[in-house]
């Protein structure tokens, strides 16, 4: 005799449908309603506790979006969309979120819906949803984008990190992205949730916050490659940038699920993806007991999890080096391929050859040696930021040459700086 597993159900359904759904659910033999949630936080808490196996949601429930659906799946709950027969918009939203099963209230098919969910675990649901979204994205991108995605080489993701104290992380990220763009289409993503500044470095102060525009489309379930490329600002041919959150107070609007979806799509077109992340990478200990609470470091954690290479910047002065030695072990523990780079290198700061003095200090305290040394060209950088451009001219040549060496270290096929033809600055 086969015993059917009883599904425990939590609902996050709008008032217009909740009572009717609960009445239908009472007649389903192998399902039990255990929680009627007042908000999405309560729903996520119920899923986190393991008390529910199915989350029944309606798209018009306050706060419901694609990120919540993804969170529920990660927490082990299967998601059932609940819609009205008269609301085609809600049905389309469930389809956009790639829900495996949607129930129309009053259709008499609720028991069949639970049978489907019982035979499809959350892990399978998650993979199916991701595959369906990827197919939908390619299908709606148009023939040109689809061809580009199919023929593009393997994408490589590079995270640029530095400890607190302005070691030159964004300067390195922007110029590294420009150098990499010569060996294939490159996307720079400003994922710094504390002090985003890629837009300011590139003279894009009037641009809309790109990552938040992408995040809203992820929540709606409609972000595709064509839209991603439209949202990104075009810096130079082959070099696009997805600008940051603008104000640091908006950090909670960008989650690891948003960034993950963006990176999935970017990998279909861009040869290189460079991610500028915040200095902080360790979670606040006070949040360890509240796993549903949003985490400011979640975006950085996702970036490190997706990275093929990590570039870690060590500033060239005693204070910056001390900060690097304190914070770098956490980065080294997070990723297997961390390339240490000395930034703002100058002899007067360390009383000798910056490359040898700093290299010896890093080897002594961390057991690592830098793969590149970026010289201090602050006057040229100040002038470039004031113009709203990247470095150019003789004053910036030493820095550009060092960045191009770093790009080669990461596997890019770039010519030496001296033979590089200057390209015109272009703004969309």
């Amino acid at each position: 005799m086969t015993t059917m597993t009883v599904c425990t159900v939590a609902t996050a359904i709008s008032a217009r449908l909740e009572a009717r759904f609960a009445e239908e659910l009472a007649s389903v033999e192998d399902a039990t309603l255990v929680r009627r949630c007042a908000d999405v936080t309560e729903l996520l808490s119920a899923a986190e506790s393991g008390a529910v196996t199915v989350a029944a949601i309606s798209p018009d429930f306050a706060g419901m979006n694609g990120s919540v659906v993804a969170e529920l799946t990660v927490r082990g709950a299967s998601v059932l969309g609940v819609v009205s027969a008269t609301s085609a918009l809600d049905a389309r939203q469930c389809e956009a979120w790639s829900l495996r099963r949607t129930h129309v209230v009053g259709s008499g098919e609720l028991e069949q819906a639970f049978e489907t969910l019982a035979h499809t675990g959350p892990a399978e649901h998650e993979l199916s949803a991701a595959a369906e979204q990827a197919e939908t994205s390619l299908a709606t991108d148009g023939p040109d984008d689809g061809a580009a995605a199919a023929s593009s080489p393997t994408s490589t993701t590079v995270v640029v990190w530095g400890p607190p104290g302005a070691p030159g992380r964004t300067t390195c990220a922007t110029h590294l992205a420009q150098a990499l763009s010569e060996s294939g289409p490159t996307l720079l993503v400003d994922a710094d949730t504390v002090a985003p500044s890629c837009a300011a470095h590139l003279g894009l102060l009037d641009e809309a916050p790109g990552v938040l525009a992408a995040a809203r489309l992820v929540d709606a379930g409609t972000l595709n490659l064509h839209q991603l490329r439209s949202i990104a600002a075009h810096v130079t041919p082959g070099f696009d940038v997805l600008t940051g959150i603008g104000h640091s107070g908006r950090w909670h609007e960008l989650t690891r699920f948003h960034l993950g979806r963006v990176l999935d799509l970017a990998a279909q077109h861009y040869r290189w993806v460079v991610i500028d992340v915040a200095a902080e990478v360790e979670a606040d200990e006070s949040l360890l007991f509240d796993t549903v609470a949003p985490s400011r470091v979640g975006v950085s954690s996702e970036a490190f999890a997706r990275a093929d290479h990590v570039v870690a910047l060590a500033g060239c002065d005693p204070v910056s080096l001390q900060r690097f030695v304190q914070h770098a072990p956490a980065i080294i523990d997070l990723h297997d391929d961390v390339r240490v780079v000395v930034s703002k290198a100058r002899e007067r700061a360390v009383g000798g050859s910056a490359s040898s003095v700093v290299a010896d200090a890093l080897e002594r305290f961390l057991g690592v040696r830098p793969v590149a040394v970026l010289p201090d060209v602050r006057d040229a950088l100040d002038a470039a930021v004031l113009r709203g451009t990247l470095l150019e001219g003789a004053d910036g040549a030493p820095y550009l040459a060092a960045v191009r060496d770093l790009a080669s270290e990461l596997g890019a096929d770039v010519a030496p700086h001296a033979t590089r033809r200057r390209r015109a600055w272009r703004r969309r």
Side-chain angles (χ1 to χ4, degrees), residues 134-147:
E135 292 173 3
T136 302
S137 297
L138 287 175
T140 55
D141 280 343
D144 293 339
D145 286 342

Side-chain angles (χ1 to χ4, degrees), residues 94-118:
C94 288
E95 184 178 356
W97 289 338
S98 299
L99 298 187
R100 289 283 295 173
R101 191 63 195 251
T102 301
H103 171 65
V104 179
V105 173
S107 65
E109 298 179 351
L110 186 57
E111 189 163 357
Q112 293 92 314
F114 275 99
E115 288 179 0
T116 300
L117 294 175

